[in-house]
Amino acid sequence: MDIEVGRFSGEARDFYTAAEIAFGTHAHDEDIAHFIATFEPDRAIAATEAGEIVGTAGAYSFAFSVPGAVVPAAGVTIVAVLPTHRRRGILRRMMRHQLDDVHARGESLAILWASEGGIYQRFGYGLASLHASIKLARDRAALRLPREPVGPVRLVNVAEARQVFPAVHDAIAAHRPGFFARSDAYWEHEFFPDPQHRRDGRSAAFDVVHETNGAADGYARYRIKDDWEHVGPNSSLVLVELMAANPDAHVDLWAYLLGVDLIGQIEAWDQPVDDPLLLLVAEPRRLRATIGDALWLRIVDVAGALEGRTYRSDGELVFDLGDEFCDWNAGTWSMTVQDGHARVVPSRATAHIALDVTDLAAAYLGAFSFAQLAAAGRAREMAEGGIGRADALFRTDRAPWCPRVF
Ligand SMILES: CC(C)(COP(=O)(O)OP(=O)(O)OC[C@H]1O[C@@H](n2cnc3c(N)ncnc32)[C@H](O)[C@@H]1OP(=O)(O)O)[C@@H](O)C(=O)NCCC(=O)NCCS
């Protein structure tokens, strides 16, 4: 039977239900309703066989933070193929369709979280941000120095959290590479819903707000997994999200979390890899910090992507770019940065460096330097000083961080 891949025009409910089966779960009615609220039907791609959905791929139209700017990006999501139809090239066909569509829309970037790290590099996605996980035993969780809190941390109900959280988040999001802007529908249907079947045996969420001079400048949402042993409480506090607009809010919120009674350990999964917490605690090793891949980024249009972000210093870089899957990017490009803004054009000049589009993606948000890529045998220096020249342009202050999986 022939399999067709193209724009999906059926019911969003059927699209979501098919994808959930491919992910090995059954869709809950409540989740279907939330999915439909943020679903972008004109970006949905389906593989069908005799009219039945066998593969899905979707995307959100994100405003995405890159160094010094916010740009449009395709937030690729709900990519799945039914277990009955795998390894026949359906994903490849959907990726082809999707990246051509993103290109035609004039978006220079596509981003995604991968269920498995081995899937997307073949389509030109590079590892563009990392996340840190911690699991800290509370009896070893002292801060380095005792300190008085700067502002109060208040427990708030969900209604107040809905009022306060978005503004705190938005002020940070605009300046931190890796964030996507959250719509009202996103807060309403993705962030705040707290159905029991999504809690993995943990409590409903607790929300706290930090204030300085009466103005909210940080928040945390967490759950507690109850565990009473015969010797006493050993529950886990599991952080859902912590946002702090300044260092005082960050320390006060962490001091609060580390101080919650009856807790044996504090767990957090998607934290920035440069989180100041590592420098705040008395025993950094006890954080049991591990890192993992977070955002994968596809440079869909190389000139648009490089002109979309800003740069710390001015200069010129000529580079040879390989791109098998989107060959319109392949070739030699010259990038001239003036006053922090780049102009990128095809070039016949001798390249300073040569690299693949996946490598450029790894450097794009600032997660990796060109020196790191060169050390891994990925970026190659073609003219003396080429790697240093590229690093001088692309260097950023903060590690990119995407605080939510989408
Ligand atoms: C991942 C998934 C979408 C792949 O779909 P598929 O139709 O079987 O993939 P294709 O047949 O088009 O394979 C394309 C390429 O990806 C590779 N590939 C597919 N799944 C892979 C995986 N899980 N890990 C590593 N490589 C994978 C194939 O080997 C193939 O490689 P090639 O082009 O070099 O020959 C499918 O297995 C699935 O739905 N998995 C469960 C849900 C999931 O993880 N979705 C991804 C969410 S981010």
Side-chain angles (χ1 to χ4, degrees):
M1 192 81 76
D2 281 351
I3 290 168
E4 288 176 30
V5 171
R7 162 104 183 264
F8 176 68
S9 54
E11 294 294 322
R13 163 180 284 273
D14 299 336
F15 191 80
Y16 184 73
T17 304
E20 286 294 284
I21 292 169
F23 276 102
T25 57
H26 292 292
H28 285 251
D29 281 344
E30 200 177 341
D31 293 342
I32 294 172
H34 291 310
F35 171 76
I36 290 172
T38 55
F39 181 58
E40 295 188 36
D42 65 322
R43 305 200 68 143
I45 297 162
T48 53
E49 187 181 48
E52 297 293 318
I53 302 168
V54 299
T56 59
Y60 298 113
S61 303
F62 278 156
F64 180 60
S65 298
V66 300
V70 176
V71 300
V76 174
T77 185
I78 201 159
V79 175
V81 172
L82 287 184
T84 46
H85 287 71
R86 287 188 185 146
R87 305 304 180 267
R88 299 190 210 167
I90 293 177
L91 172 66
R92 177 169 283 275
R93 290 175 61 192
M94 293 196 301
M95 289 291 104
R96 175 78 277 147
H97 193 290
Q98 187 175 58
L99 285 172
D100 287 344
D101 179 56
V102 173
H103 193 221
R105 286 168 184 265
E107 293 163 332
S108 301
L109 303 173
I111 50 172
L112 57 80
W113 285 81
S115 60
E116 294 184 274
I119 302 176
Y120 291 98
Q121 296 192 58
R122 58 175 52 75
F123 307 122
Y125 283 85
L127 178 51
S129 83
L130 300 169
H131 70 86
S133 303
I134 60 166
K135 187 169 182 177
L136 173 64
R138 186 163 160 263
D139 58 0
R140 308 298 292 247
L143 294 182
R144 239 179 98 244
L145 301 171
R147 77 190 275 287
E148 282 299 312
V150 173
V153 172
R154 278 195 307 118
L155 275 159
V156 295
N157 61 26
V158 176
E160 189 172 351
R162 280 185 194 198
Q163 293 296 316
V164 174
F165 283 16
V168 174
H169 167 273
D170 293 353
I172 299 163
H175 305 290
R176 182 87 188 227
F179 275 63
F180 57 87
R182 297 179 186 173
S183 62
D184 290 344
Y186 182 89
W187 287 103
E188 192 72 22
H189 296 281
E190 285 289 329
F191 186 86
F192 282 114
D194 197 12
Q196 194 144 16
H197 65 265
R198 291 241 191 124
R199 291 185 206 149
D200 196 20
R202 297 164 189 149
S203 72
F206 294 94
D207 294 318
V208 291
V209 169
H210 180 272
E211 289 165 348
T212 303
N213 300 326
D217 55 4
Y219 66 78
R221 165 167 269 225
Y222 61 92
R223 305 176 191 287
I224 288 180
K225 187 156 193 171
D226 232 11
D227 184 9
W228 284 80
E229 298 179 347
H230 70 283
V231 289
N234 186 30
S235 300
S236 298
L237 185 155
V238 182
L239 186 62
V240 177
E241 181 165 287
L242 185 151
M243 287 287 156
N246 56 60
D248 287 334
H250 181 267
V251 189
D252 284 353
L253 283 165
W254 270 108
Y256 166 80
L257 295 173
L258 302 182
V260 175
D261 279 338
L262 310 181
I263 295 300
Q265 50 278 321
I266 296 123
E267 297 174 23
W269 175 70
D270 180 14
Q271 298 303 295
V273 284
D274 59 356
D275 197 299
L277 188 63
L278 282 156
L279 298 168
L280 285 170
V281 291
E283 295 186 84
R285 190 190 314 166
R286 293 286 174 169
L287 289 169
R288 294 175 196 272
T290 55
I291 59 167
D293 57 293
L295 274 189
W296 293 83
L297 179 144
R298 210 310 163 185
I299 292 179
V300 180
D301 171 54
V302 65
L306 294 179
E307 290 177 359
R309 60 158 279 186
T310 64
Y311 300 86
R312 286 261 295 278
S313 59
D314 291 353
E316 202 202 352
L317 179 74
V318 179
F319 58 96
D320 280 337
L321 190 70
D323 192 341
E324 268 186 29
F325 203 66
C326 296
D327 58 5
W328 57 82
N329 284 326
T332 303
W333 295 89
S334 157
M335 167 175 174
T336 307
V337 180
Q338 204 176 356
D339 300 328
H341 295 279
R343 174 105 180 88
V344 179
V345 292
S347 171
R348 290 170 185 275
T350 306
H352 299 111
I353 60 170
L355 74 177
D356 186 70
V357 72
T358 54
D359 308 323
L360 190 57
Y364 181 76
L365 297 177
F368 294 96
S369 67
F370 289 90
Q372 286 175 295
L373 288 162
R378 294 180 59 162
R380 275 177 297 129
E381 192 165 69
M382 310 299 279
E384 203 182 329
I387 293 292
R389 178 186 279 267
D391 273 331
L393 290 179
F394 279 76
R395 188 168 298 132
T396 57
D397 287 332
R398 302 290 309 270
W401 175 39
C402 183
R404 297 285 287 186
V405 177
F406 50 86

